Amino acid sequence: SGEPDDGGVGAITFDENGEVVNYRRILRRTEGISGGGKTPWGSWISCERRSGQVYQADPHGNRAGRRTALGGNYMGETNLQSFAYYDPGPSSIIPTFYITNG
């Protein structure tokens, strides 16, 4: 992302041979996307390093991306940079989520 609002996140689809067959933008008009990760329910979380906003996007492009409740000044943090989750499997009821502060 160079100028404000020109950034975003894209999704690439590969065929069984590893060839790119499709590319689409799944999140638009962001500034300084830093990192993100897949959620247990199949969406993509993306963190914006400049504003600390956290977005959720549909990797299939069926729904527009949206800002989440985690962004901005969440818990006094303003620079959330990445997201991951750990799901230990059927023995656990709730997966654990991790967000890093830059």
Side-chain angles (χ1 to χ4, degrees):
S1 174
E3 295 298 318
D5 297 329
D6 73 349
V9 175
I12 302 171
T13 304
F14 299 91
D15 67 14
E16 62 277 355
N17 298 315
E19 299 293 321
V20 175
V21 295
N22 191 19
Y23 170 82
R24 65 199 161 280
R25 296 285 292 263
I26 61 170
L27 184 59
R28 298 178 183 279
R29 300 186 56 85
T30 62
E31 276 187 76
I33 292 296
S34 183
K38 183 181 174 188
T39 67
W41 48 89
S43 66
W44 185 263
I45 297 292
S46 192
C47 301
E48 188 174 83
R49 71 176 170 265
R50 291 187 184 132
S51 69
Q53 295 301 325
V54 178
Y55 295 89
Q56 180 171 258
D58 174 9
H60 304 289
N62 297 325
R63 289 192 232 164
R66 63 181 181 86
R67 200 172 356 179
T68 71
L70 297 176
N73 196 19
Y74 176 71
M75 294 176 55
E77 304 296 337
T78 58
N79 197 7
L80 303 176
Q81 295 218 359
S82 63
F83 168 90
Y85 81 95
Y86 170 69
D87 187 352
S91 62
S92 176
I93 297 172
I94 301 173
T96 303
F97 294 88
Y98 302 91
I99 297 175
T100 60
N101 179 28

